[in-house]
Amino acid sequence: FYLRTFGPIGAPIPVAIVAPTDLGYGISKMFSSLMFGQNLMNIEVLSTFSQAKHWLGGTFPDGLTDIPA
């Protein structure tokens, strides 16, 4: 059942993980390395929302804003 597909997989989805702490950053990088090569997500681990917004092309989904530190 692992990675069973029912059709062609589209382009990888861009995912920005904001991890302002060392622990969160480390866990996020481990997740990113586990997903490497799956061609499902293009993951970038960043430390601030402004970096994430820039990496995603300057847009956030509706209602999502910067969270104060």
Side-chain angles (χ1 to χ4, degrees), residues 21-55:
T21 65
D22 289 341
L23 178 62
Y25 186 84
I27 291 171
S28 299
K29 289 299 278 188
M30 286 188 275
F31 173 73
S32 175
S33 68
L34 287 171
M35 295 306 294
F36 183 77
Q38 300 298 326
N39 203 29
L40 299 173
M41 294 183 269
N42 185 6
I43 302 172
E44 187 71 25
V45 181
L46 305 154
S47 59
T48 66
F49 271 92
S50 60
Q51 291 173 335
K53 188 173 183 177
H54 177 70
W55 188 77

